[in-house]
């Protein structure tokens, strides 16, 4: 098998295993968050309240299709379908990693082909921190994204038999941040973000952090299945590693508090001078299963909410029109939920009160203590 065929096989397996995971809608930390519902919300349902922007571009809802695939014929077909769905429903979408274009220029065609299905809608281009600046410039120039996503995926790489063993990525992130004409989002791939790393990204002037936490697609499990099938080591003990999306959102709130100067900042950004940093926009993804999860993310401080596994599963099992219908239905339901929880406008979602079940309450207490915020 040549490297191209190996990559195609890897992507195919990722999609199949992620689809299987998403088919089994599991409980996750969103179930440990309750929004406080007013019995007298004094609102009425109005879908227009969802109209917002995505990095400055108009969109019909604050949730988007998050990064999944790219670079093979099968990936191009999936991205083409996702682009059409995004265009018809008016939401944003992210391509999966386009790092392959830096190694094989001909792979750009598949991304351009998919982009042609939604030439004017807001899209994100996704690379890794070591993708060469020149290749990323080319991708941004040709695909015209509203922002660039840089994924950080240490756990996935660790479990992948052929994965990267060098996790020094901050220099690459800073280089890309400085060279790019568009905002830069740094995202996880389902293992979440801790306080110190969000602080480091704030310090580096990164525009947004997509916490992409634990609770949905689990790449430790996916890569472990591949590793075992290839006779590699068994990393099943790493399943469930990382911070959940809810825990990561709590961590982001702690960074905001630390940056406002309350409490000690010694544990943040490895002692860097955090005075000049501004808090990046917070994007939530990882285990978002329904419109209530979206609303919980917004209430906990996320500006936008990304969905991968759930939407992929609908696309693969029921087709493009079913995904389009599902997204329209999520929009109606989210508008209804906003009214139900007393939010007359989208920004008011961030003011909905919430409570945490004891396990998360304990996590927050311990993180506050670790951050010197007690
Ligand atoms: C992903 N994800 C991903 N992320 C990324 O930054 N670059 C990528 O190329 C990919 N590839 C990819 C393939 C497939 C099949 C899936 C399902 C996911 C991760 C994705 O963007 C997201 O961070 C996680 O999947 C968690 O969200 P969900 O799936 O729980 O909604």
């Amino acid at each position: 098998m040549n490297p191209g065929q190996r990559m195609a096989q890897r992507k195919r397996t990722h999609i199949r295993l992620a689809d299987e995971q998403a088919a089994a809608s599991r409980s996750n930390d969103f179930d440990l968050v309750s929004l406080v519902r007013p019995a007298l919300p004094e609102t009425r349902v109005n879908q227009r309240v969802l109209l917002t922007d995505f990095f400055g571009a108009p969109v019909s809802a604050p949730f988007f299709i998050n990064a999944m695939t790219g670079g093979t014929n099968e990936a191009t077909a999936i991205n083409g379908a996702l682009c059409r769905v995004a265009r018809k429903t008016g939401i944003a979408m992210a391509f999966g990693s386009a790092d392959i274009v830096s190694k094989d220029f001909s792979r750009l065609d598949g991304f351009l082909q998919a982009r042609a299905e939604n030439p004017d809608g807001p899209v994100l281009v996704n690379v890794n921190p070591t993708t060469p600046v020149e290749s990323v410039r080319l991708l941004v120039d040709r695909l015209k994204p509203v922002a660039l996503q840089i994924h950080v995926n240490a756990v996935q790489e660790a479990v992948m038999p052929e994965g990267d063993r060098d996790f020094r990525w901050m220099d690459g992130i800073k280089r890309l941040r400085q060279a790019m004409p568009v905002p830069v989002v740094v995202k996880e791939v389902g293992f979440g973000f801790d306080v110190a790393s969000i602080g480091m990204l704030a310090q580096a002037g990164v525009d947004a952090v997509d916490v992409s936490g634990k609770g949905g697609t689990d790449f430790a499990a996916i890569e472990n299945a591949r590793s075992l099938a290839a006779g590699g080591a068994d990393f099943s003990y790493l399943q469930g590693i990382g911070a959940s999306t809810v825990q990561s959102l709590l961590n982001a709130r702690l960074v905001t508090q630390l940056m406002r100067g309350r409490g000690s900042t010694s544990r943040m950004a490895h002692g860097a001078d955090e005075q000049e940093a501004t808090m990046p926009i917070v994007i939530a993804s990882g285990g978002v299963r329904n419109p209530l999860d979206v609303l919980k993310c917004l209430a906990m401080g996320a500006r936008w909410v990304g969905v991968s596994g759930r939407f992929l599963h609908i696309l693969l099992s029921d087709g493009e029109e079913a995904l389009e219908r599902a997204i329209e239905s999520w929009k109606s339901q989210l508008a209804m939920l906003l009214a139900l929880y007393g939010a007359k406008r989208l920004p008011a979602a961030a003011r909905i009160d919430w409570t945490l079940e004891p396990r998360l309450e304990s996590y927050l207490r311990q993180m506050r203590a670790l951050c010197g915020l007690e």
Side-chain angles (χ1 to χ4, degrees):
M1 218 188 289
N2 67 35
Q5 288 167 324
R6 257 202 307 278
M7 186 190 74
Q9 192 184 51
R10 188 178 81 226
K11 301 239 161 183
R12 207 171 299 129
T13 310
H14 282 170
I15 288 166
R16 180 173 56 78
L17 295 177
D19 180 40
E20 279 173 25
Q21 286 183 350
S25 189
R26 291 173 294 148
S27 69
N28 63 26
D29 275 4
F30 286 114
D31 299 325
L32 304 182
V33 178
S34 300
L35 301 179
V36 176
R37 186 193 69 83
L40 291 169
E42 296 301 307
T43 51
R44 67 188 170 87
V45 180
N46 174 6
Q47 192 156 329
R48 290 189 56 80
V49 299
L50 294 186
L51 299 177
T52 184
D53 82 290
F54 188 78
F55 290 102
V59 283
S60 64
F63 60 86
F64 66 99
I65 304 169
N66 214 350
M68 279 184 274
T69 197
T72 64
N73 289 341
E74 197 178 351
T76 298
I78 291 177
N79 279 336
L82 294 175
C83 276
R84 279 190 295 276
V85 170
R87 174 170 55 78
K88 289 183 186 155
T89 56
I91 66 172
M93 83 150 255
F95 291 107
S97 179
D99 176 64
I100 182 67
V101 174
S102 68
K103 296 169 182 109
D104 176 357
F105 182 70
S106 70
R107 307 276 177 164
L108 178 62
D109 286 348
F111 289 93
L112 289 170
Q113 213 176 305
R115 179 57 157 144
E117 299 292 335
N118 184 10
D120 303 316
V123 297
L124 299 172
V125 162
N126 185 296
V127 296
N128 69 51
T130 60
T131 310
V133 169
E134 278 318 306
S135 306
V136 183
R137 270 211 193 97
L138 173 87
L139 285 162
V140 168
D141 188 49
R142 299 296 300 278
L143 291 165
K144 308 244 175 307
V146 286
L148 176 74
Q149 280 182 331
I150 305 173
H151 66 260
V152 292
N153 62 339
V155 178
Q156 182 185 10
E157 296 291 342
V159 180
M160 264 166 86
E162 68 277 40
D164 204 347
R165 293 293 178 263
D166 185 345
F167 310 135
R168 292 170 299 176
W169 291 330
M170 269 316 286
D171 284 349
I173 289 171
K174 287 180 190 163
R175 228 183 347 263
L176 286 171
R177 169 68 187 79
Q178 268 162 15
M180 284 310 121
V182 292
V184 165
V185 184
V186 174
K187 80 178 279 289
E188 244 290 348
V189 301
F191 302 98
F193 262 94
D194 55 293
V195 170
S197 301
I198 298 172
M200 287 163 73
L201 296 176
Q203 196 64 43
V206 162
D207 303 273
V209 178
D210 178 345
V211 297
S212 211
K214 178 174 76 177
T217 304
D218 179 348
F219 268 99
I222 290 174
E223 298 298 357
N224 195 48
R226 291 184 54 241
S227 170
L228 287 177
D234 181 1
F235 283 105
S236 51
Y237 60 87
L238 283 184
Q239 286 177 30
I241 190 177
S244 69
T245 301
V246 171
Q247 289 172 332
S248 305
L249 289 171
L250 294 171
N251 289 338
R253 298 174 73 84
L254 291 177
V255 179
T256 305
Q257 283 178 30
L258 287 168
M259 288 176 55
R260 283 193 191 130
R262 275 189 254 142
S264 154
T265 53
S266 61
R267 301 196 183 231
M268 210 182 92
H270 301 311
D273 172 14
E274 72 289 348
Q275 293 305 319
E276 291 160 29
T278 18
M279 183 63 193
I281 293 173
V282 175
I283 301 175
S285 70
V288 173
R289 304 157 298 177
N290 55 50
L292 184 58
D293 290 346
V294 174
L295 187 62
K296 288 177 179 176
C297 291
L298 299 177
M300 299 187 78
R303 172 91 165 269
W304 298 300
V305 181
V307 184
S308 293
R310 190 77 213 118
F311 287 166
L312 178 72
H313 178 62
I314 298 171
L315 178 71
L316 296 184
S317 45
D318 299 323
E320 205 173 312
E321 283 178 14
L323 179 57
E324 201 183 311
R325 280 195 303 276
I327 289 172
E328 288 302 341
S329 172
W330 277 43
K331 280 159 52 177
S332 311
Q333 292 173 53
L334 184 59
M336 192 271 291
L337 288 171
L338 279 164
L340 208 53
Y341 284 91
K344 291 198 175 80
R345 293 181 315 113
L346 194 55
R351 295 195 293 274
I352 297 173
D353 287 325
W354 37 272
T355 59
L356 302 174
E357 294 295 316
R359 196 166 61 72
L360 282 176
E361 179 66 23
S362 158
Y363 175 85
L364 180 58
R365 223 180 5 257
Q366 292 179 50
M367 289 312 300
R368 287 180 62 83
L370 285 172
C371 293
L373 281 165
E374 284 307 271

